């Protein structure tokens, strides 16, 4: 039987998330929750309507607690903030895995992870919570991905890479084996990261990746 879910966030990212949920084949989408104060009930994304906003969801949590929450927010900081607020209200976040993704049976994950179309998560990977593993990204064996991370389309994490909380790895970036990436850092699109990022909130770009001055 289909479980019922609501999607939090109704920006352009929501359309991509709806596609993954539909592909996963296990959730009925009840509607979208706008994260903004004012919202438009006539707004639709891929055929689904906005039904309320985040403040209403939080203040009437008893009414909606039976619904599973799926976050459609690309920005890590915003996604973490909303996730924490809803977890405090005891909402549940399923892991959503596209039917076109491969997740090895030995992968261990928390909750609220979204694994998009074409992604591969190989053996012995650990994933925390609330991560966005975007289209066609590759997470090789023994990687350790903490929480609130976004791995953008076609990024490749080679074996044994550690990605700390809130890191963003841009589209098409490659992180070579066993590299460590410190919290809230950014690996720019197309970068090849060949050494550890040890300072929080650093941005590295280019091939090989170098720190981008603020
Ligand atoms: C790294 C990044 C976050 C920097 O963003 P920013 O701070 O706004 O940078 P700017 O666009 O102001 O560019 C500043 C300089 O850095 C360079 N630069 C920016 N991103 C770069 C990248 N990925 N690789 C190499 N150089 C880059 C720009 O060319 C520019 O150089 P210039 O000053 O010589 O003209 C961003 O460019 C990026 O790569 N984002 C990833 C996007 C992505 O993958 N999205 C997927 C969504 S699903």
């Amino acid at each position: 039987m289909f479980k019922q879910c609501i999607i939090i966030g109704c920006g352009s990212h929501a359309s991509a998330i709806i596609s993954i949920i539909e592909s996963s084949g296990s959730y009925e989408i009840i509607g979208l929750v706008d994260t903004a104060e004012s919202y438009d009930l006539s707004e639709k994304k891929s055929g689904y309507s906005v039904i309320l906003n985040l403040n209403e969801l939080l203040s009437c949590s008893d009414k909606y607690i039976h619904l599973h929450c799926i976050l459609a927010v690309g920005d890590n900081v915003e996604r973490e903030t909303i996730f924490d607020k809803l977890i405090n209200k005891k909402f549940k976040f399923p892991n959503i895995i596209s039917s076109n993704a491969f997740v090895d049976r030995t992968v261990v994950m928390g909750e609220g992870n979204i694994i998009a179309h074409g992604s591969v998560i190989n053996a012995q990977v650990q994933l925390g919570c609330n991560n966005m593993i975007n289209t066609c990204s590759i997470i090789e064996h023994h990687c350790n991905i903490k929480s609130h991370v976004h791995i953008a389309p076609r990024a490749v994490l080679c074996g044994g890479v550690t990605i700390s909380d809130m890191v963003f790895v841009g589209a098409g970036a490659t992180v070579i084996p066993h590299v460590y990436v410190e919290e809230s850092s950014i690996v720019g699109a197309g970068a090849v990261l060949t050494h550890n990022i040890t300072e929080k909130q650093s941005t590295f770009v280019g091939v090989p990746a170098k720190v981008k001055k603020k």
Side-chain angles (χ1 to χ4, degrees), residues 178-193:
H178 304 295
V179 160
Y180 171 86
V181 180
E182 184 54 285
E183 249 177 75
S184 302
S185 292
I186 295 172
V187 181
V192 176
L193 185 65

Side-chain angles (χ1 to χ4, degrees), residues 4-6 30 51 63-69 91-92:
Q4 295 186 316
C5 73
I6 41 175
I30 299 302
I51 53 171
K63 187 171 164 193
Y64 299 106
I65 196 74
H66 63 288
L67 298 170
H68 295 252
C69 290
F91 280 100
K92 294 275 178 273

Side-chain angles (χ1 to χ4, degrees), residues 134 150 152-153 168-172 186-191 203-206 212:
N134 222 322
H150 189 152
F168 177 80
V169 179
I186 295 172
V187 181
T203 299
F204 276 68
V205 295
K212 181 176 170 298

Side-chain angles (χ1 to χ4, degrees), residues 131-186:
N131 295 304
M132 179 69 219
I133 309 300
N134 222 322
T135 313
C136 289
S137 50
I138 297 176
I139 316 291
E140 264 307 333
H141 61 94
H142 294 93
C143 282
N144 185 355
I145 296 180
K146 306 294 183 183
S147 295
H148 323 295
V149 163
H150 189 152
I151 309 294
R154 289 204 65 175
V156 176
L157 307 184
C158 296
V161 162
T162 300
I163 302 288
S164 306
D165 288 346
M166 315 284 289
V167 166
F168 177 80
V169 179
T174 301
V175 182
I176 71 161
H178 304 295
V179 160
Y180 171 86
V181 180
E182 184 54 285
E183 249 177 75
S184 302
S185 292
I186 295 172

Side-chain angles (χ1 to χ4, degrees), residues 6-213:
I6 41 175
I7 298 170
I8 322 296
C10 50
S12 56
H13 192 55
S15 303
I17 299 300
I18 288 168
S19 175
I20 301 164
I21 297 168
E22 289 181 345
S23 156
S24 78
S26 41
Y27 285 87
E28 176 194 359
I29 300 169
I30 299 302
L32 301 160
V33 177
D34 202 326
T35 54
E37 279 292 325
S38 62
Y39 60 100
D40 180 0
L41 286 172
S42 65
E43 200 182 332
K44 279 188 187 271
K45 274 275 153 13
S46 303
Y48 298 100
S49 301
V50 174
I51 53 171
L52 74 165
N53 77 0
L54 182 60
N55 285 342
E56 290 163 338
L57 180 64
L58 289 165
S59 58
C60 306
S61 56
D62 290 351
K63 187 171 164 193
Y64 299 106
I65 196 74
H66 63 288
L67 298 170
H68 295 252
C69 290
I70 298 171
L71 275 168
V73 175
D75 179 75
N76 290 341
V77 175
E78 192 185 351
R79 199 168 65 256
E80 185 214 23
T81 305
I82 298 171
F83 181 81
D84 288 349
K85 282 181 182 170
L86 289 166
I87 284 284
N88 280 339
K89 292 282 185 180
K90 311 273 185 258
F91 280 100
K92 294 275 178 273
F93 287 82
N95 293 311
I96 302 293
I97 302 172
S98 163
S99 61
N100 295 314
F102 173 77
V103 177
D104 187 78
R105 65 176 174 77
T106 59
V107 171
V108 174
M109 60 176 103
E111 58 181 320
N113 296 292
I114 298 181
I115 320 293
H117 306 312
S119 300
V120 173
I121 307 189
N122 222 328
Q124 307 292 339
V125 167
Q126 291 182 50
L127 278 172
C129 296
N130 193 30
N131 295 304
M132 179 69 219
I133 309 300
N134 222 322
T135 313
C136 289
S137 50
I138 297 176
I139 316 291
E140 264 307 333
H141 61 94
H142 294 93
C143 282
N144 185 355
I145 296 180
K146 306 294 183 183
S147 295
H148 323 295
V149 163
H150 189 152
I151 309 294
R154 289 204 65 175
V156 176
L157 307 184
C158 296
V161 162
T162 300
I163 302 288
S164 306
D165 288 346
M166 315 284 289
V167 166
F168 177 80
V169 179
T174 301
V175 182
I176 71 161
H178 304 295
V179 160
Y180 171 86
V181 180
E182 184 54 285
E183 249 177 75
S184 302
S185 292
I186 295 172
V187 181
V192 176
L193 185 65
T194 56
H195 55 262
N196 296 344
I197 299 182
T198 52
E199 215 172 295
K200 289 181 185 175
Q201 296 184 319
S202 306
T203 299
F204 276 68
V205 295
V207 182
K210 304 273 184 229
V211 71
K212 181 176 170 298
K213 301 273 181 281

